[in-house]
Amino acid sequence: MPVSAARSARDILVNLHDVMAARSNAQAKLNSVVEIIGEALDSEVCSIYLLREGVLELYATRGLAPEAVHVTKLAMGEGLVGTIAANNEVLNLDEAASHPDFAYKPETGEDRYHSFAGVPIIRRERSVGVLAVQHADPRRYEDVEIEALQTVAMVLSELIANAGLIDQGGPKDRPQSTAAMRIAGQKLVDGMAAGCAVFHQPRIHIEHTVAEDTEAERHRVYAAFDKMREQIDRIAREAEFGVGDEHQEVIQTYKMFAYDEGWSRRINEAIDSGLTAEAAIERVQQRTRQRMREIDDPLLADRMHDLEDLSNRLLRIVSGQMGTAAQLGLRQDTILIARNLGPAELLEYDRRRLKGVVLEEGSLTAHVTIVARAMGVPVLGRVRDVRRLIAEGDMLLLDVVEGTLIVRPSSAMEEAFDAKLMARQKRKAAYAALREVPPETKDGHRVTVMVNAGLRDDVAALDLTGADGIGLFRTEFQFLVSATLPQRERQQRLYKEVLDAAGQRPVIFRTVDIGGDKALPYLIHAEDEENPAMGWRALRLALERDGLMKAQARALIEAAAGRTLNVMFPMVSESWEFDEARALFEAQRAFLATRGKRLPLDIRYGAMLEVPALAYQLDLLLPQVDFLSVGTNDLTQFLFAADRANPKLAERYDWLSSAILRFLRQVAVPARAAGVPLAVCGEMGGRPLEAMALIGIGIDRLSITPAAVGPVKAMLRSLDRAALMAFMDGLLAAPPRDMRGALTQWAAQQGVELA
């Protein structure tokens, strides 16, 4: 908050302090509050709406018709006031009536006023009211005025709660039912687990918001920062990571936030406005949450989650409420519940007792997901209303395989879960027994089964699964978990360690696929794109910013000295893009040769076919490439014009549709004729039935998740490839309405293992 904003808020808070200390009743206090705010901001109208019996009631006003007080009421989501409360958002409008949610209330006499600004009054993380100002002249309120309103709203939440003027959050803070229930979520880290619900941290309720002594509050924050940084440094020293210490980068990013001077400065400025240390931290945290809601980029949002995690830690320290569940100790098998979780927080838990994690938020690229995967802890994300639905100590059954959480299960539910868990363990043991067995069909056709990877730790899956190599190493992951652009030397070290760990097995490195929905805040500052998946990303971006690609090329070439380097370019749309990318690599190889550097024995170049247009340039592309890989995830959404990130469209296409299979066969036939190895990378190849269909159209190279290797091997060893190919020819010549059903029926008749 700028100094002027702090002064505006401080001037108001000084007067509010006297109002709160007075012996007058709550209504009189609120009447005084709207006068103080209106005068301080030179606003003709200032109004307070409070949530009572589920509706927002006009409780005090300066400027609107006095007879509207306690008469004007708005439902949550109704009008501008209801929208602010429902969405926990700020509105700042120079012409209120132009907003689509505007609702005119004639009894208020507000038709004279054009400008409108409103902020939510938040109590215990939920809106309990709205503070609004209006002005006759059309104008947007200045940022400093909005900052002052938000600070005042925080103080108001204390005043109105102490006066008992708002709906209390009792039902929101405890489960409304004790019956068994099944809740859905997003699959983040695969696995199954059972345990008792333990909340990561108790609620910290800020009871005093207005500071008596600003310097004393500042000293408390300084001391809390010192203690928090000591804790983070200790966690970083004691963290035990897997192969190659990839996750150390995550902790280093976390430390960067802990030592961020901008964050501590914002808290100090909030204290300058007259807030206590706790209220200042919460005020800055509210702004962070607001930004998180406005950020479409999941990577930026994940970094904001890290900052919120640190804010929670700082708030616990300054308030003296240090007891997280980790620090109190886990006494039994536990499923941890949290809104979100930072990587350092997760590492504090006893791994013997921590069986799973359930997050209200979370994402596949979040730092906590990376660390949890390394720890082998299943994680389910995007589970809504957990504090309302789950009580501390409830028995939970976590099944990330199905994307579900069972709360307070019945005996029958527990028995079914135990049976499924036992069957899963037996299947894993059976698949593990196939580790040394080649992926070969019953009629003797050898299929190449490789794994997808993105971290050093993932290379261990080669030995665990017996896979033939790494068919897709996503090099961008190193960029996504790093706070700054990874230097060439650091990239080179990662690539060399991956090659060393893989030994004689091939590794195909996909050059960095960033941009679009994987923007890097330290590198990419592009304008918002309406459809980032089809935007300025991957090879398009790399060829434009060729310095990034040149650095990666040199790192890969030097890392592969004395070995064969396999490089694959993502999202190639036309053959000339591949030619340019290959020429860039060859120029770097020539440059390194002039410097006397050891070079790879050979460099094999490949392209990813994800953009359908490339299929119509295969006559130009196939003579140039050493191998070709189909990225079915992107390809499918482009073919069907169905965004795979949109849950409403998730069921609108099927990988076993005749359109997909016919398209893939049209690629497979010329590739085979040209002698170019063709692989499928993506989730499609990791599903046994879909993998069977791919074998049936002539694709015999798959790159899949490590967990899918065992099931796909088992399917292959029970399959007669020649019979399948004949069946697929007839099926695609006259496709049935239910292609999936027809394939499933054929597999059952032939005894193909699809479990």
Side-chain angles (χ1 to χ4, degrees), residues 17-74:
H17 184 275
D18 295 336
V19 170
M20 294 170 70
R23 294 190 176 184
S24 56
N25 62 38
Q27 181 69 62
K29 288 181 178 180
L30 291 179
N31 291 341
S32 297
V33 167
V34 293
E35 292 294 337
I36 290 169
I37 297 170
E39 288 182 16
L41 298 184
D42 192 25
S43 189
E44 294 165 296
V45 175
C46 178
S47 304
I48 295 173
Y49 295 80
L50 300 184
L51 185 65
R52 293 174 60 80
E53 298 180 357
V55 296
L56 293 154
E57 178 181 322
L58 178 60
Y59 218 89
T61 187
R62 157 194 161 120
L64 297 184
E67 55 269 23
V69 173
H70 303 306
V71 173
T72 297
K73 296 180 180 180
L74 294 154

Side-chain angles (χ1 to χ4, degrees), residues 352-369:
R352 296 168 299 175
R353 296 290 192 190
L354 182 63
K355 300 302 179 182
V357 175
V358 174
L359 301 175
E360 287 187 79
E361 297 174 355
S363 73
L364 285 166
T365 56
H367 289 167
V368 68
T369 304

Side-chain angles (χ1 to χ4, degrees), residues 573-584:
S573 303
E574 299 187 68
S575 61
W576 67 263
E577 292 176 322
F578 172 83
D579 295 339
E580 281 199 12
R582 178 174 181 163
L584 185 150

